[in-house]
Amino acid sequence: MFTRKEVIDYCKTFQNVYEDYPFHDDNMTVMRCKRNKKSFAFIYERNGFMCVNIKCAPQWTEFWRNAYKGIIPGYHMNKKHWNTIILDGSVPRIEIERMIGESYDLVK
């Protein structure tokens, strides 16, 4: 899954989701829930890698950061509730999909 399009397409598999560009910057794609307009994934390129900011239950943020080198505190986000996944191949696809799904569940 490591292109912007692949991440966006995966996010769109969830119900009532849409793609947004609220910052007028093609580099920052925001995936939102239609009903409440809350964001569950911020997709962007940074330092040559695609990255995804995902919401995370506070009791799991450190677990994920310790589990994979490609997961860091949320870039430009509240570090207690958000992690950044660097799509550099260090985090298995199944775990990325799981974290995106959990982020969606937290905001829907």
Side-chain angles (χ1 to χ4, degrees):
M1 146 174 359
F2 306 167
T3 68
R4 178 188 306 271
K5 182 179 180 343
E6 289 171 321
V7 177
I8 292 169
D9 289 346
Y10 180 73
C11 289
K12 286 181 175 179
T13 65
F14 297 100
Q15 286 187 329
N16 298 313
V17 165
Y18 69 100
E19 180 179 347
D20 194 12
Y21 295 86
F23 306 111
H24 307 289
D25 176 0
D26 289 341
N27 185 44
M28 181 62 75
T29 306
V30 180
M31 301 305 297
R32 298 181 186 270
C33 295
K34 285 182 182 177
R35 289 188 180 139
N36 60 17
K37 296 187 171 54
K38 289 189 177 183
S39 307
F40 68 95
F42 292 78
I43 306 158
Y44 56 95
E45 184 177 339
R46 182 168 184 256
N47 298 328
F49 292 104
M50 289 307 301
C51 298
V52 184
N53 287 1
I54 49 96
K55 190 162 182 109
C56 191
Q59 65 269 26
W60 287 98
T61 53
E62 287 298 322
F63 169 83
W64 288 115
R65 293 172 196 169
N66 292 325
Y68 298 101
K69 73 176 182 96
I71 300 177
I72 60 174
Y75 178 68
H76 280 297
M77 305 296 278
N78 179 313
K79 310 303 187 234
K80 181 177 178 183
H81 297 280
W82 291 84
N83 277 341
T84 295
I85 307 168
I86 303 168
L87 303 179
D88 62 358
S90 66
V91 182
R93 179 185 187 109
I94 192 165
E95 299 292 23
I96 294 168
E97 290 175 351
R98 177 181 175 178
M99 286 183 274
I100 291 171
E102 289 172 359
S103 182
Y104 171 80
D105 287 342
L106 285 169
V107 303
K108 73 175 182 178

